[in-house]
């Protein structure tokens, strides 16, 4: 059995509870949520407050700015982040929609950076928020390029919870969707994470030709139509090529994406049928 430090474990559970909360929490609420005595919670939060990891607001507690400092340090040390972030404005300005950079962390994805869209209606992820890998274009683009054993572990550990009526919740259906993503070179999300949102994403390869990140563009379904998706995929495919090459990857996702752009059209959209017949999007 792995050895753990009990007091440290309690402190980490308090930090996680505050991170997942939508607002500050008091001692009593933390005690109820975590199943620890008020005395235990009090000692933990006072220690964390002393070192700047927790700040007190009236009689409640929230995460402190120390985490912002640590997060910035982590991002500054990441070659991928430093390489990718300068391209986000380029993609946002070209598409007009929200652009997000997601990275794999453990068996989840994290939104590392984003640029809000230029439209009045804006659909964005949340920087620093963790997302399961079976929904959303960027998480699925990452998951599709992981070993089969990893995919099975993700499903076994987290299940396939439904975010909307369009979320994939069956193991076999997810496996088929991941196979399609690998075949096409990009991922689509048609309201499977958030109603009224359509997202397209392309994976980014690192120096070992592994996928640990993806770049996505998201817009409202009534504005981000088939032609806009095609245009966005062209832009992010080119950007992901440059990022991957800068990271030392031999694999470039762009050529694969551009070959299969017709699949970004609606399945029953007449323009999609015509484009596939004429090879317009090849």
């Amino acid at each position: 059995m792995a050895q753990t430090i009990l007091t440290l474990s309690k402190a980490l559970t308090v930090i996680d509870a505050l991170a997942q909360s939508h607002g500050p929490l008091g001692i009593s609420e933390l005690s109820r949520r975590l199943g620890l005595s008020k005395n235990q919670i009090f000692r933990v939060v006072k220690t964390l407050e002393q070192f700047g990891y927790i700040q007190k607001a009236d009689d409640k507690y929230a995460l402190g700015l120390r985490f912002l400092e640590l997060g910035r340090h982590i991002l500054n040390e990441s070659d991928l982040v430093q390489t990718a972030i300068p391209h986000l404005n380029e993609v946002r300005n070209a598409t007009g929609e929200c652009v997000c950079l997601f990275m794999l962390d453990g068996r989840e994805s994290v939104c590392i950076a984003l640029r809000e869209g230029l439209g009045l209606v804006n659909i964005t992820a949340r920087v620093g928020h963790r997302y399961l890998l079976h929904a959303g274009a960027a998480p699925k683009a990452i998951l599709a390029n992981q070993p089969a054993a990893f995919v099975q572990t993700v499903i076994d550990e987290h299940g396939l919870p439904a975010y909307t009526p369009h979320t994939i919740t069956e193991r076999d259906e997810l496996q088929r969707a991941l196979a399609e993503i690998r075949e096409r070179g990009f991922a689509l999300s048609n309201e499977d994470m958030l109603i009224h949102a359509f997202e397209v994403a392309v994976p980014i390869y690192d120096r070992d030709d592994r996928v640990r990140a993806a770049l996505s563009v998201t817009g409202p379904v009534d504005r981000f139509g088939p032609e806009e998706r095609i245009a966005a995929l062209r832009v992010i495919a080119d950007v992901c090529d440059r990022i991957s090459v800068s990271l030392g990857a031999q694999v470039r996702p762009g050529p694969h994406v551009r070959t299969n752009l017709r699949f970004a059209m609606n399945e029953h959209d007449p323009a999609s049928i015509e484009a596939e017949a004429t090879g317009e999007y090849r």
Side-chain angles (χ1 to χ4, degrees):
M1 179 180 296
Q3 294 182 346
T4 59
I5 300 174
L6 184 58
T7 303
L8 179 57
S9 297
K10 293 175 182 176
L12 292 174
T13 60
V14 169
I15 290 171
D16 285 341
L18 293 175
Q20 295 167 15
S21 172
H22 295 294
L25 298 176
I27 298 294
S28 297
E29 178 63 17
L30 284 167
S31 175
R32 186 187 66 79
R33 292 191 182 193
L34 302 178
L36 299 172
S37 71
K38 292 181 182 180
N39 188 45
Q40 289 174 314
I41 295 294
F42 182 80
R43 293 200 304 268
V44 168
V45 298
K46 284 302 178 183
T47 301
L48 291 171
E49 183 183 14
Q50 179 181 349
F51 286 90
Y53 292 100
I54 284 181
Q55 57 188 5
K56 189 174 183 181
D58 296 327
D59 292 327
K60 296 184 177 182
Y61 295 87
L63 295 184
L65 295 179
R66 177 70 172 147
F67 284 105
L68 183 62
E69 178 185 347
L70 294 176
R72 184 176 293 111
H73 176 74
I74 292 171
L75 295 182
N76 288 340
E77 294 297 313
S78 169
D79 290 342
L80 188 150
V81 173
Q82 293 304 305
T83 301
I85 282 182
H87 295 283
L88 298 190
N89 284 340
E90 173 188 350
V91 178
R92 189 272 311 278
N93 293 341
T95 64
E97 302 294 353
C98 174
V99 181
C100 297
L101 174 65
F102 287 81
M103 289 183 64
L104 180 66
D105 184 44
R107 298 186 181 94
E108 297 173 306
S109 63
V110 179
C111 178
I112 296 299
L114 67 81
R115 295 294 183 271
E116 292 188 349
L118 302 175
L120 294 177
V121 178
N122 214 338
I123 298 176
T124 67
R126 292 167 52 195
V127 173
H129 192 73
R130 306 181 74 85
Y131 295 87
L132 297 183
L133 294 166
H134 71 289
K140 287 187 295 187
I142 294 172
L143 183 61
N145 290 281
Q146 305 306 313
F150 180 90
V151 175
Q152 294 299 332
T153 301
V154 166
I155 298 173
D156 292 341
E157 181 174 321
H158 295 296
L160 300 173
Y163 296 105
T164 77
H166 306 289
T167 306
I168 295 174
T169 58
E170 298 295 330
R171 186 184 297 255
D172 290 344
E173 184 181 357
L174 178 63
Q175 294 287 8
R176 289 193 295 271
L178 297 180
E180 288 181 355
I181 292 169
R182 288 191 295 273
E183 178 183 351
R184 298 172 183 180
F186 59 84
L188 306 175
S189 169
N190 189 0
E191 300 186 276
D192 71 345
M193 174 65 77
L194 184 67
I195 292 294
H196 304 310
F198 200 106
E199 179 188 11
V200 299
V202 174
I204 296 170
Y205 291 83
D206 64 17
R207 64 174 59 88
D208 299 315
D209 291 331
R210 299 178 303 175
V211 172
R212 293 292 182 269
L215 195 62
S216 72
V217 173
T218 307
V221 291
D222 59 350
R223 186 176 71 208
F224 195 48
E227 292 186 3
E228 287 76 20
R229 299 169 208 158
I230 294 290
L233 280 168
R234 289 187 186 279
V235 172
I236 56 178
D238 178 64
V239 167
C240 288
D241 274 353
R242 284 182 271 150
I243 295 172
S244 298
V245 170
S246 295
L247 293 172
Q250 297 298 313
V251 178
R252 296 170 62 245
H256 193 190
V257 172
R258 286 184 282 270
T259 298
N260 296 291
L261 282 174
R262 66 187 185 279
F263 290 109
M265 307 292 282
N266 284 332
E267 181 178 355
H268 303 296
D269 189 291
S272 173
I273 298 172
E274 180 181 355
E276 185 166 358
T278 61
E280 179 180 350
Y281 294 109
R282 286 184 173 274

